[in-house]
Amino acid sequence: MFSYIIRRIGSMIPSLLLASIIVFSFIHLIPGDPAQIMLGDQATPEQVQGLREAMGLDRPLYVQYGRWLSGVVKGDFGTSIFFHQPVLHVILDRAETSLLIAVFSMMLVILMGVPIGILSAVRYNSRLDQLFSGLSMFFASVPTFWLGLNLMLLFSVMLQWLPTSGFPSILESGDWTNLRYLVLPCVTLAAPNSALIIRLTRSSMLDVAKADYVKTARAKGLSEGAVNIRHIFRNSLISIVSALGFTFVALLAGTVVTETVFSLPGIGRLVVESILRRDYPTIQGVILIIAFLYMVINLLVDLSFALLDPRIRYS
């Protein structure tokens, strides 16, 4: 197991290097000049060229990439062109919101998606199964911005139970009641993702239910509850855990629409705003960190397979 982990970590290095080259190349293909955007339309060509030289943007791309990569190796992702702060500091400022949204949305996804998926599989083809299947298809197909706006209209405007938008930092204020600002965004994100987990749990359990060892378990006289949980659900967990792992990273990094609807200061909005501002160092830093998180989550998911299925051995 230990040698496998070391090999996987070693394989992450060329993957990250390739990701950094792709990210750096594509970011610099975006039309627009950061120096021109910073100085505005009234700036003279001499002023723009002077700022480009000061920022090092006049040098060849491979030289810029080499300087950026050497800084990343040392933990320095550069300085944000717009915020005039270290990129890592800018990302950490936004990470609180995105991390809380991802964690609480993930909890809702697990609490809603897995039990309903199990119930739907156990009551296969019943009216209850058809009801859950219909609802999951509906929430999977509903656009998150539409759902978020309607939840905001109902619970914030009409009932006035929850705030409409924004999120005051808990780390700065120490006020945990600020979590109420994240209730509607988390429900908005959890609804479509729960629907997908319901469908996946149901289909995985129905596939496993056809296996011979399940028929053998029933022939031995085990109760339906024991067969469903110990033999069917347990052997369906690998595909469910895989989906949950990638869902978590997607919630952490890909919540642009929800963050925009609820005016949340998260990572997703930071990426979009940085692209519009041509803030190259921030875009590169965020995407590289997201790629690293994908690889770490993927490694943890793979390692969890050995715990879920004793037949799997890593060496």
Side-chain angles (χ1 to χ4, degrees), residues 69-92:
L69 186 62
S70 63
V72 170
V73 172
K74 300 171 187 173
D76 179 11
F77 287 80
T79 302
S80 167
I81 294 174
F82 180 79
F83 294 100
H84 303 292
Q85 295 178 0
V87 168
L88 200 56
H89 186 265
V90 173
I91 295 173
L92 289 176

Side-chain angles (χ1 to χ4, degrees), residues 98-109:
S98 293
L99 187 61
L100 288 173
I101 289 176
V103 169
F104 288 115
S105 298
M106 199 67 212
M107 290 170 64
L108 290 175
V109 168

Side-chain angles (χ1 to χ4, degrees), residues 107-123:
M107 290 170 64
L108 290 175
V109 168
I110 294 173
L111 291 175
M112 291 191 295
V114 176
I116 295 177
I118 294 174
L119 192 58
S120 190
V122 171
R123 301 290 181 86

Side-chain angles (χ1 to χ4, degrees), residues 27 30-31 34 37-38 80-83 90-91 93-94 98 253 255-284 286-287:
I27 292 301
I30 299 175
I37 293 174
M38 290 177 66
S80 167
I81 294 174
F82 180 79
F83 294 100
V90 173
I91 295 173
D93 276 347
R94 304 295 188 97
S98 293
T255 59
V256 179
V257 175
T258 305
E259 289 176 3
T260 303
V261 170
F262 292 97
S263 299
L264 298 173
I267 296 292
R269 281 187 67 193
L270 177 63
V271 173
V272 175
E273 291 169 354
S274 298
I275 291 174
L276 295 176
R277 295 163 182 158
R278 306 297 187 272
D279 192 346
Y280 295 160
T282 303
I283 304 169
Q284 293 161 184
V286 171
I287 295 179

Side-chain angles (χ1 to χ4, degrees), residues 36-80:
Q36 180 69 64
I37 293 174
M38 290 177 66
L39 294 176
D41 296 334
Q42 304 300 323
T44 63
E46 291 75 19
Q47 290 174 318
V48 174
Q49 182 59 28
L51 184 56
R52 284 179 55 81
E53 292 175 1
M55 296 167 64
L57 297 175
D58 61 326
R59 300 182 181 181
L61 277 184
Y62 67 87
V63 175
Q64 296 182 46
Y65 174 75
R67 291 182 61 186
W68 175 70
L69 186 62
S70 63
V72 170
V73 172
K74 300 171 187 173
D76 179 11
F77 287 80
T79 302
S80 167

